[in-house]
Every structure is written in structure tokens, then in C-alpha cells.
Amino acid sequence: MEIAANNPSLKSWVEVPENSDFPIQNLPFGIFKTNQLTARVGSRIGDMVIDLKSLFVLGYFTNLPFEMKDFDSQTLNSLMKKGKKGTRDLRNRLSKLLEIGHTDLKINEHHVDQVFIPVDQVEMLLPVEIGDYTDFYSSREHATNVGTMFRDPNNALLPNWLWIPVGYHGRSSSVIVSGVDIHRPKGQIRPIATEDPILSASQRVDFELEMGFITYDGKPLGDSISTEESEDFIFGMCLFNDWSARDIQTWEYVPLGPFLAKNFASSMSPWIVTLDALEPFRIEGPKQEPEVLSYLKFEGKKSYDIQLEVALKPELVEETTICKSNFKYMYWNMSQQLAHHTINGCNIRCGDLMGSGTISGPTPDSYGSMLELSWKGEKPLTLKDGTERKFVKDNDTVIMRGHAEKDNVRVGFGEVRSKLLPAKN
Ligand code: CA
């Protein structure tokens, strides 16, 4: 089905800078506040944040299934409760109001003044009250690299990997929005394999280049979501840095998997780009061999061509781009992840967050973590300021960016950034 707001020929009467991630074809959702305005739902076009609460109050969303509380909210959950049709109609309405030939809003100067706020005057907040956070491990290149380093290059993928979208349950309490800094975590590490472990600040703090998707309400406990239905349950996507402490991970992860190495922080970008807006950027995923079980089969293009990059910025000097990857490299797609997650009857809820797992591409400059980029620290990276990195240093800022581009339309995510501060005493 054609989505009106995706028409590549649409232009807006609102100025959009060249190469902006936020043309009229994007219209993501987020939560913002300003010195004057309480937290509320917003969208974005160019360098302007659009106050959707004000648009609602001013009567621009008549005949849509929304109430004041859906916009006058510190999270998007209430809005997402309206489901795919509701949010699609809302985005289409917004698109219409901003379209160049449409004057309802444009001619109302005092409405325009009230509704548009320059992006540098707002503070973006965590957009979703995340119920459960699940992290997958769906990049074949990443799983192969990690398996090669830690186990056996000849059997890098474990036997289940090509059959199951492997995942684990993460922790939602420590998911933070872009701009929130974190402290280097402490924990048990065992620097010398033949000696006892010690309590220490992690010496191997790493990022993981991931994307996340946010769900609508799912089905009741006991029911499953098929790959065919899956997209009706996905609201949108964000950039996601799943911070990791490799030395804590190495010691703790046997036999039940990651715990404190992963749950100290995960950073997400503030704008949720709807799955609708990403529709034009569908692409075929990697060929799956062996053939997957029937509940993981799917029709059509379920991968997305989203260019990703990671930059590292030491304190006071310019950033260096250290990785360029693409979401299309994911072996397991979101529909398969959701079908697998619910095949046992596990229910998902409005506001759940699903991480893709680290997105590594086929070449060494497309690896999505320092662990892989520096190959366990054996091949340090050299930054523009001449300093070397094996892992993330104190006061380094990690910045991830992503966008899709086709037919001269660029739909992007902006960025997720956060700085690693020294460990607390
Ligand atoms: Ca992860």
C-alpha cells in the first residue's frame, strides 16, 4: 500500500537544509521539553521541532483517534497504544499540514510561531517507557568475528546460529537517551587467566553499533506473531549503542550469558523513525542457508538499506569516523526476530525495545565494535589526533549516525552520542 507521506516528490513550505535527515518524508516521533514547555510529543522537520501537543490543542488533528493525553505525555506509549493505523494517519496528517501546497497551518502566523521550535532550543528526552528490552545477535559477520576470537576460527558460528535468531533478555532500566553520559563500569575481571579475579574498573569498555525497534501492543500471552503479521506490531526504529565491558563479559558470561557486562547502559537516539517512513528503503537480505524452519519463512523484502557509521571523539579534538556499516547486513530480519520471540507464546507489549545485535559488515572497516575493529586490542586504531585506541578511553564520546537514501530522499535518524566518564570512586 502506498503511504501518502512517503511520496518522494513532496516538498514542504518549512525550510529543510540540504542533506538533512529530516525532510517531509521522515516525520519521526520523539519527546521534548524546553525552558518554557513541559515534556510532550514532538516531530521534526529540518532543524525545527514540531510541537504536536500544540497542534492538537489548536485543532489540527480533528477526526484522528487521539486525545490530549497522547500528546501531553513524557513518553510515546500512549500514542503508540493507538496502533499502526492511528500513527500512520497522524503522520499522513502532519505531512499534509507541512506540504507546500497546503496553507491551513502556514497562513496562521501565530500558530506557526507556537508550533515550531528550533532544535537547538529543545532538550530531547527518552522517547519511550521501555517495558522489556531484548537484544538479538543477528549479524553473521559479528557472530563469526566473536566466535573466531573467543572460540575456534574453524567453528566460529555455534550450531544453533543459522537456525535461531539468537537473543537474550536485557535490562530496560539503564536504557538512556542520546546526550546522557555514562561512567566507566566496575566489576569482576580476571586479567590473568591463571589467577583469581579482582574488582576493578573495566579496562575494555566497548560500544556496539546496533539499531533498535519499538513495538506496539502485541498479542495475549500464549499467542504467536507470524512473520506476515510482524510489521503491524513494529512502530519504528532508532540508533542504539549497546555499551559493553568486554573484560567483565569474558569472565562472567559462562554459562548464562551476559549480565553486568551489558546492563550498565544502552544509549538510544531520541527520534523514533516509523517503519512507515522506512518503507521505500526495503531491500533483500542475505540468502539464508540452510533453509529456515517454516515459522521463520517470510515473503517480500524484509531488510532495510540504512547506512550506519560510528565516530569516536576524544575530549577537545575532532572526531574520527572509525566504522561504516549498514543495517542490510543483518542475517535475521526484524520480522523473523519477532516471530521467533513469540513462537513460544511470549507476549510483547507496547514500548518493548528489540536490539538488532552488533551490526558488522564484511570488511574490517565495517565492524560494529571496538572488539572487532581492534581485533581484541591486537590492532589498535589510530585517530586523527594521532592517539591510538584499543577500546574506549575515559572522556571519549561515541557518536553513531544512520540514514537511508533513495530517489533523492534521505530519511535519517540523527545521532546517538554519549561520553564515557571515568569510573566513580
Ligand atoms: Ca548487544
Side-chain angles (χ1 to χ4, degrees):
M1 183 188 42
E2 279 292 299
I3 298 166
N6 288 352
N7 184 344
S9 63
L10 289 181
K11 296 259 182 293
S12 176
W13 49 267
V14 181
E15 191 199 327
V16 177
E18 203 176 335
N19 283 329
S20 170
D21 280 353
F22 303 100
I24 189 170
Q25 288 85 357
N26 189 343
L27 306 180
F29 294 98
I31 300 289
F32 75 98
K33 67 176 184 180
T34 71
N35 289 339
Q36 284 83 37
L37 303 175
T38 54
R40 62 192 59 200
V41 175
S43 184
R44 178 165 171 177
I45 184 164
D47 292 335
M48 290 289 176
V49 171
I50 310 164
D51 178 348
L52 298 192
K53 177 186 166 189
S54 290
L55 277 179
F56 178 83
V57 171
L58 294 168
Y60 287 98
F61 295 152
T62 49
N63 301 319
L64 291 175
F66 294 96
E67 308 158 60
M68 181 67 157
K69 71 173 173 57
D70 301 329
F71 300 105
D72 187 15
S73 174
Q74 296 182 25
T75 69
L76 295 174
N77 294 56
S78 178
L79 187 117
M80 292 189 294
K81 279 272 181 192
K82 296 298 187 316
K84 187 129 217 167
K85 180 164 187 332
T87 54
R88 176 175 291 171
D89 289 349
L90 176 62
R91 179 167 164 270
N92 281 337
R93 175 72 59 87
L94 192 55
S95 169
K96 208 161 208 183
L97 291 170
L98 300 171
E99 205 252 309
I100 202 157
H102 200 91
T103 54
D104 281 14
L105 175 60
K106 186 184 176 185
I107 57 170
N108 251 309
E109 236 172 81
H110 61 290
H111 288 183
V112 170
D113 285 347
Q114 183 181 340
V115 164
F116 293 96
I117 303 142
V119 70
D120 57 10
Q121 290 176 25
V122 310
E123 180 187 344
M124 298 304 298
L125 305 177
L126 189 70
V128 179
E129 185 182 357
I130 299 161
D132 285 299
Y133 157 42
T134 299
D135 198 21
F136 287 92
Y137 188 57
S138 288
S139 155
R140 182 175 190 159
E141 287 79 4
H142 173 68
T144 303
N145 287 339
V146 172
T148 300
M149 277 186 264
F150 288 107
R151 287 188 307 272
D152 175 5
N154 297 316
N155 294 291
L157 286 182
L158 288 169
N160 61 3
W161 200 91
L162 293 168
W163 294 94
I164 292 177
V166 171
Y168 76 101
H169 287 302
R171 187 156 181 94
S172 56
S173 67
S174 53
V175 178
I176 50 179
V177 73
S178 177
V180 176
D181 299 332
I182 64 164
H183 285 271
R184 179 178 294 274
K186 290 176 285 198
Q188 278 201 30
I189 63 173
R190 192 172 66 159
I192 301 167
T194 50
E195 292 182 7
D196 288 344
I198 57 171
L199 174 65
S200 167
S202 169
Q203 301 303 301
R204 295 190 154 202
V205 174
D206 200 354
F207 59 81
E208 288 188 331
L209 170 62
E210 299 195 22
M211 297 198 73
F213 71 86
I214 303 289
T215 58
Y216 293 110
D217 261 327
K219 292 182 175 179
L221 181 69
D223 288 358
S224 304
I225 295 171
S226 68
T227 55
E228 197 181 348
E229 301 165 313
S230 59
E231 287 165 9
D232 291 341
F233 297 93
I234 300 174
F235 172 59
M237 296 179 69
C238 61
L239 300 168
F240 194 60
N241 176 3
D242 194 25
W243 290 96
S244 299
R246 300 301 181 192
D247 40 7
I248 296 174
Q249 185 178 354
T250 307
W251 172 232
E252 78 174 0
Y253 88 107
V254 182
L256 287 185
F259 184 33
L260 304 185
K262 298 281 188 174
N263 69 6
F264 58 95
S266 307
S267 304
M268 70 185 279
S269 53
W271 294 109
I272 308 299
V273 176
T274 61
L275 206 61
D276 277 356
L278 295 167
E279 182 73 29
F281 309 102
R282 284 178 185 273
I283 193 173
E284 300 257 0
K287 183 168 165 42
Q288 298 184 327
E289 183 69 48
E291 190 180 346
V292 299
L293 297 184
S294 59
Y295 78 99
L296 294 170
K297 288 185 178 158
F298 60 94
E299 303 265 330
K301 297 173 179 171
K302 296 283 190 192
S303 296
Y304 293 84
D305 184 1
I306 302 170
Q307 300 170 46
L308 301 167
E309 62 174 53
V310 183
L312 201 65
K313 187 189 174 308
E315 190 87 323
L316 303 176
V317 300
E318 66 174 320
E319 65 181 59
T320 304
T321 300
I322 56 173
C323 158
K324 289 192 173 190
S325 187
N326 194 306
F327 187 67
K328 72 182 179 186
Y329 296 133
M330 303 302 296
Y331 187 84
W332 298 105
N333 59 55
M334 294 183 282
S335 295
Q336 293 177 310
Q337 290 170 339
L338 211 45
H340 183 66
H341 203 312
T342 59
I343 191 61
N344 65 347
C346 173
N347 51 336
I348 59 150
R349 295 179 295 188
C350 180
D352 284 356
L353 168 66
M354 310 280 172
S356 58
T358 306
I359 305 163
S360 293
T363 55
D365 60 350
S366 64
Y367 294 166
S369 65
M370 288 300 287
L371 177 71
E372 295 162 270
L373 289 164
S374 76
W375 207 255
K376 279 193 290 189
E378 290 167 11
K379 300 177 189 167
L381 300 180
T382 303
L383 305 183
K384 281 184 183 166
D385 67 350
T387 59
E388 289 193 337
R389 290 293 183 285
K390 297 175 177 174
F391 290 92
V392 184
K393 278 193 174 171
D394 284 352
N395 300 310
D396 282 351
T397 299
V398 176
I399 307 151
M400 296 177 177
R401 302 186 177 93
H403 72 273
E405 199 159 9
K406 192 183 177 185
D407 297 331
N408 291 317
V409 174
R410 171 180 170 134
V411 168
F413 293 80
E415 62 180 32
V416 55
R417 70 163 62 213
S418 74
K419 189 198 275 192
L420 178 66
L421 301 171
K424 290 195 172 184
N425 288 326

